[in-house]
Amino acid sequence: MADKRDYYEVLGVNKNASEEEIKKSYRKLAKKYHPDLNPGDKDSEVKFKEVNEAYDVLSDKNKKARYDQFGHAGTDPSYGGGSGGYYSGNPFGEDFDLGDIFGSFFGGFGGGRSRRSTASRRGSDIEVNVNISFLEAAKGCTKKIKYDCIDTCFKCHGSGAREGTSPKQCHVCRGTGQVVISQRTPFGVMQTAKTCDACSGTGKVIEHPCGYCGGNGRVRTNKEIEVNIPAGIDSKQILNVSHKGNAGKNGAESGDLHLYINITPHSVFERKDFDIWCELPITFSQAALGADVVVPTIDGKVEYHIHEGTQNGDIFKLKNKGIPKLHGRGSGDQYVKVHIEVPKNLTNSQRSALENFEKSLTEKNYQKRKSFFDRLKNLFE
């Protein structure tokens, strides 16, 4: 365990990072190393677990405080060993405030106020992939999301007790969730605390468990919710839905639902940031003479005038016809690339007319062609 990486280093943030910065970095890295996006990649699997472990500590104010003060020894049950009178969990008892321990060393157990064991625990987050179309991403939409989760038991409403009954105060710890242990050391008798085994730190005992959840207070179920997808969202972005993840334990808040957005390609449009690109085929006559053409956009068809002498590959812009920017900050533009289609399968009369037309043209009509051959002439002279 000596080579366990610093949690701040794992998430790529500094110790003064805000909660939002920590969460943002976690989401980015969790998506990068997610097993569903890296099937069979053992290295990504290890990094994904490492990232989740780091976030579990740094996103919890109490765990973060212990980690900042004592490092991995303050949060990792693998540190400290089990032979020196310590218990499983952190070195001084699972979810116990280390500050209380040191307070008891120098002022007696009564000198520090013991903190309730964190038997109430926030629910874990859930990740779901959501496929939407190009136009749904551009215009925004409402989607029904179906997923499996752990939800609060509807029979006992999370108490774990059978309907008509309620949990009783634990007679061992008297509702505190912790028991005091005295240890004789070279410095005298020291008192520490550990999670109460009788109630698992909840401070309560269920005498008559709920028959539906077995006293757990939570059950696995299928859930369906409606989510508003904002206009302008891009592929690979993550949409967070607060408190729609797994239910918390013993009344704690639920985790979040992370929606990983995947956008299916469009047959006509291509997205580049908030701009849209498309190709418009026109005829030789339209390019030579100029013409009014119809151009498709995400808002419908618009008319555009092709100027006389338009060349193959020319690009024109339709301002503000691109993707709406998130949070209503305007829209991108649409860029249209002209493709001049050369006619095929000519009839004899069409061929003859085209040959006569070609004979009527002079160098003035082909400026690029004239310039090209002039350069060749200068090259060989």
Side-chain angles (χ1 to χ4, degrees):
M1 296 301 296
D3 58 351
K4 179 183 278 290
R5 293 174 62 199
D6 178 77
Y7 287 150
Y8 291 101
E9 179 186 342
V10 170
L11 294 184
V13 297
N14 59 49
K15 289 189 175 182
N16 296 321
S18 64
E19 291 182 13
E20 186 60 32
E21 288 173 330
I22 291 173
K23 181 179 287 188
K24 182 177 180 180
S25 180
Y26 162 71
R27 290 175 179 171
K28 179 180 178 182
L29 293 172
K31 185 177 188 306
K32 179 179 180 181
Y33 298 120
H34 196 283
D36 289 346
L37 301 178
N38 301 275
D41 188 338
K42 295 298 183 182
D43 186 53
S44 292
E45 184 178 339
V46 171
K47 289 181 179 178
F48 181 74
K49 292 179 179 179
E50 186 181 41
V51 166
N52 276 280
E53 179 183 327
Y55 181 69
D56 178 66
V57 172
L58 299 186
S59 63
D60 184 296
K61 290 182 179 180
N62 293 321
K63 291 181 182 179
K64 184 175 182 295
R66 297 201 301 270
Y67 179 73
D68 288 343
Q69 186 174 6
F70 302 104
H72 291 297
T75 59
D76 193 335
S78 299
Y79 276 75
S83 60
Y86 300 129
Y87 296 88
S88 61
N90 72 41
F92 299 95
E94 182 181 2
D95 295 324
F96 185 71
D97 191 336
L98 292 171
D100 292 338
I101 292 290
F102 285 96
S104 69
F105 285 175
F106 298 102
F109 186 80
R113 186 177 179 180
S114 64
R115 183 174 62 85
R116 177 74 173 267
S117 172
T118 55
S120 295
R121 189 168 300 168
R122 178 184 181 273
S124 58
D125 296 337
I126 297 176
E127 300 169 351
V128 175
N129 290 315
V130 179
N131 296 319
I132 60 176
S133 70
F134 185 95
L135 292 179
E136 285 176 328
K139 308 295 288 184
C141 63
T142 299
K143 281 286 186 182
K144 288 185 177 180
I145 309 298
K146 296 181 180 180
Y147 60 100
D148 294 333
C149 69
I150 298 173
D151 204 0
T152 301
C153 176
F154 74 95
K155 285 285 189 180
C156 66
H157 306 291
S159 71
R162 185 189 305 165
E163 193 172 2
T165 68
S166 60
K168 304 296 183 181
Q169 184 184 83
C170 176
H171 67 282
V172 177
C173 65
R174 297 182 180 180
T176 65
Q178 297 174 340
V179 291
V180 179
I181 297 176
S182 298
Q183 294 175 295
R184 186 176 299 280
T185 73
F187 303 100
V189 176
M190 293 186 179
Q191 293 179 316
T192 59
K194 62 163 287 188
T195 300
C196 176
D197 291 331
C199 64
S200 300
T202 65
K204 298 177 180 180
V205 175
I206 300 173
E207 296 179 343
H208 305 287
C210 170
Y212 192 77
C213 66
N216 185 274
R218 302 184 299 170
V219 292
R220 182 167 292 279
T221 184
N222 297 316
K223 184 176 286 189
E224 179 179 275
I225 63 172
E226 280 196 352
V227 176
N228 292 321
I229 308 291
I233 197 165
D234 204 354
S235 195
K236 299 183 179 180
Q237 286 188 316
I238 302 173
L239 185 63
N240 185 64
V241 185
S242 298
H243 310 311
K244 291 299 182 180
N246 289 320
K249 187 177 181 182
N250 296 316
E253 68 177 14
S254 297
D256 296 338
L257 175 64
H258 301 311
L259 303 180
Y260 289 81
I261 304 299
N262 297 312
I263 301 175
T264 55
H266 196 273
S267 60
V268 174
F269 302 121
E270 181 181 353
R271 177 173 178 170
K272 295 181 180 179
D273 293 327
F274 291 101
D275 295 329
I276 291 176
W277 285 73
C278 73
E279 190 173 271
L280 179 69
I282 63 174
T283 67
F284 171 79
S285 298
Q286 288 175 320
L289 303 176
D292 291 327
V293 296
V294 175
V295 181
T297 74
I298 61 173
D299 297 317
K301 297 177 181 178
V302 299
E303 287 191 354
Y304 184 84
H305 181 73
I306 296 290
H307 296 289
E308 177 183 337
T310 292
Q311 301 296 305
N312 190 56
D314 281 358
I315 297 172
F316 61 87
K317 180 173 73 174
L318 301 177
K319 191 170 179 60
N320 297 325
K321 289 297 183 181
I323 302 291
K325 296 180 180 178
L326 290 172
H327 312 303
R329 299 175 182 173
S331 299
D333 302 317
Q334 179 168 329
Y335 293 89
V336 183
K337 186 176 182 180
V338 173
H339 174 74
I340 300 174
E341 186 174 4
V342 178
K344 297 180 180 180
N345 304 317
L346 300 177
T347 65
N348 290 334
S349 61
Q350 289 171 337
R351 184 183 297 275
S352 177
L354 191 56
E355 287 173 348
N356 291 332
F357 171 72
E358 180 65 23
K359 291 176 183 178
S360 70
L361 300 176
T362 66
E363 290 183 341
K364 292 181 180 180
N365 302 113
Y366 292 111
Q367 295 178 1
K368 289 186 178 180
R369 188 170 182 270
K370 180 180 182 300
S371 175
F372 174 74
F373 284 108
D374 284 344
R375 291 197 302 272
L376 284 181
K377 182 178 178 181
N378 293 332
L379 178 65
F380 293 108
E381 286 184 352

